[in-house]
Each structure stands twice: as C-alpha cells, then as structure tokens.
Amino acid sequence: MIPGDHPRAESLARRELLVRGWREGIVSTQGLVAHGRGETFDYLLGEESTPPAQEAEMAAAAALLLGDPVVSVNGNAAALAPGELVELSGTFGAPLEVNLFHRSEERIERIADHLRENGAREVLGLDGDAEIPGLSHGRGIVDGEGIYSADTVLVPLEDGDRTRALVDMGKTVLAIDLNPMSRTSVAASVAVVDELTRAVPKVTNHGKGMKRREARRVLGEFDSAENRAEVLRHMRRRLGELAD
Ligand code: PTJ
C-alpha cells in the first residue's frame, strides 16, 4: 500500500504498475531497469511537465492529427498507461501495435490481451510480417499494415536505433522519452521529454480541440532540437536553484 500523502506517491504508484506488469509477463526484466533511468531524469525535471514538454505535446498532437499514425507499444508503455494509450488511439484513429525490443511471442500475446482488457478493439503486431530495413534481430519486425506503412509513428520509451531507422524510412517519429540526450530524443521528429503517464493524456487532450489548420501552424513552428535545448536549460536552472 502506498500512503496517499507520500510526497512521491505518483512515482511509487508507477513502480507498482511496472512490478505488477513484470509479474504478469508484460514488462521485461530490462524494462524495470529502463524505468529507473527514466525516474532519474524525471527527478531532474522536477517530476512535472515542463513548459517545453507541453509545447512538444502540442506538436505531437498536431502530427498525429495530420498524419496516418500508428502507436508503437512496448512492455513498459502497456503496463504504465494502457487505458491512456487506448484513448489516444481512438482520438487520433491511430492503431496500437505491439513492438518489442526483447521480442517474444508470449509477451506480445500478453500485451495485446492487456490492451484489449483496457478497451482496445484492434491490436496490431501479432503477425510481424514486415521488417524495418537495417535493424538486427527481432527489433525490426513490424506489421505490414501498421508501423511499416504508417507515415507517422508514436514511440514511447524506444531504443534509438529503431527511431533512427523509422526516420530513415521517411516517417515522422514522435518520441516520449524522459532523457533529452538519448539517441531516441535526438533522432525523433518531435521529442516529448516528459513522463509517459503525464504525456499521453496531454497529447490526447490537445488533439481533441485542434483543427487541421492550427495543427499545420503548430507543427510548422516546432523545432525539436531547440525544444530539447530548452529542456536542458530548464534542468540546468533547476539544478542551479537546488545548489544555491
Ligand atoms: O518491452 P520491450 O522489450 O520493448 O523493452 C522496453 C525497454 C524500455 C526495456 C527498451 O525499449 C529499452 O531498453 O529502452 P531504453 O533504451 O532503456 O530506453 C528507454 C528510455 O525511456 C530511456 O531514455 C528512459 O530514460 C526513458 N524512460 C523510462 N521510463 C520512462 C521513460 N520515458 C518516459 N516515461 C517513462 N515512464
């Protein structure tokens, strides 16, 4: 039981979701380690959606609205925000596709079931009948009617090689990654440097009220490299305040 008045109750609740997901065979063991790295960056960011993150969330919503998108779902994302991802999927007409780094057929099935239990009508990725060029092992196996043919892919907590390979295929890649220096964030067309469970509902809400014309303006004005630089300046200011 997490005490509700604990100052970091939300962070502890996320840990519980991951541990439960690991016990249920949804999260990989490596996923627990990856989450710890994310927590460190979140701590440095102040565990809140910073102003540049909110700007990037708006840009991600614009890209999802304008594109023909698919959402890539791994073990961590499925454990942390299944309902939120289903709602995002419905809002933007973006199918969910299970796409794993540590690929196993059994875990793909479990994640797909978990998404369906949380309201997903259709889950892609079970066939894995296409490949992203240039990626070794199972990391590049995708659905021919999903990630492979989408022009826009949302990738929460990705590995950098795959993000780069998707960009090289000409796709608009939207990343959600707490590390502004990761290869994923650097390679992404729109890097949302925010915690997944905070970011996904914000992207969805932006999309609900957005018109196509506004979306074109928002995306046209967005500069992902400058946005990441602003996140780093935010972190530096925060560290300076803590040190003084
Ligand atoms: O389920 P699988 O097999 O596909 O594996 C998923 C993991 C996450 C293990 C795999 O993709 C992986 O190894 O990822 P990396 O390379 O460790 O990158 C994960 C990135 O996500 C890191 O930059 C973390 O800082 C970041 N991160 C971790 N937790 C969160 C996060 N970003 C946003 N929200 C989080 N909750």
Side-chain angles (χ1 to χ4, degrees):
M1 263 293 277
I2 300 163
D5 60 351
H6 190 286
R8 302 193 54 251
E10 286 177 15
S11 173
L12 296 179
R14 282 195 287 273
R15 280 190 188 178
E16 289 305 314
L17 285 174
L18 277 174
V19 170
R20 194 190 308 161
W22 178 77
R23 288 202 181 105
E24 291 172 357
I26 291 168
V27 175
S28 63
T29 306
Q30 294 85 342
L32 300 177
V33 181
H35 185 76
R37 177 158 50 171
E39 281 185 339
T40 309
F41 282 103
D42 206 17
Y43 206 86
L44 294 175
L45 289 164
E47 295 181 303
E48 59 179 19
S49 302
T50 64
Q54 293 183 45
E55 202 189 309
E57 279 148 6
M58 180 86 92
L64 289 166
L65 200 77
L66 295 172
D68 181 12
V70 168
V71 181
S72 180
V73 182
N74 63 18
N76 287 44
L80 284 171
E84 292 88 337
L85 287 168
V86 169
E87 193 177 350
L88 181 143
S89 166
T91 300
F92 295 101
L96 302 174
E97 175 169 338
V98 183
N99 183 245
L100 302 183
F101 185 83
H102 307 281
R103 190 180 167 87
S104 92
E105 298 304 321
E106 194 185 339
R107 200 151 63 87
I108 291 173
E109 292 285 349
R110 291 206 178 175
I111 292 171
D113 286 346
H114 186 61
L115 292 171
R116 287 191 204 100
E117 281 158 22
N118 280 276
R121 288 207 205 106
E122 188 195 13
V123 181
L124 303 176
L126 298 151
D127 290 340
D129 54 359
E131 270 188 49
I132 304 170
L135 283 184
S136 58
H137 309 297
R139 293 184 307 150
I141 300 175
V142 287
D143 198 308
E145 293 188 359
I147 290 175
Y148 189 81
S149 45
D151 64 9
T152 304
V153 187
L154 174 65
V155 292
L157 282 81
E158 255 298 332
D159 89 283
D161 284 359
R162 192 154 47 196
T163 301
R164 165 55 57 201
L166 291 170
V167 169
D168 288 346
M169 285 175 83
K171 299 180 192 301
T172 299
V173 181
L174 321 168
I176 300 176
D177 187 333
L178 277 160
N179 179 359
M181 293 163 281
S182 73
R183 286 173 306 132
T184 300
S185 293
V186 172
S189 324
V190 175
V192 175
V193 183
D194 200 359
E195 202 283 320
L196 178 82
T197 62
R198 289 198 304 265
V200 172
K202 290 196 175 70
V203 173
T204 304
N205 286 339
H206 285 312
K208 281 181 180 162
M210 200 182 277
K211 302 271 181 297
R212 290 182 71 81
R213 195 169 156 182
E214 186 192 355
R216 277 192 287 275
R217 181 190 58 76
V218 166
L219 205 54
E221 289 173 0
F222 184 77
D223 179 334
S224 199
E226 172 49 29
N227 188 273
R228 282 189 307 102
E230 189 51 35
V231 173
L232 288 165
R233 286 192 282 269
H234 177 94
M235 258 184 204
R236 188 172 60 194
R237 276 195 301 274
R238 199 177 129 71
L239 285 172
E241 283 162 16
L242 291 171
D244 290 339

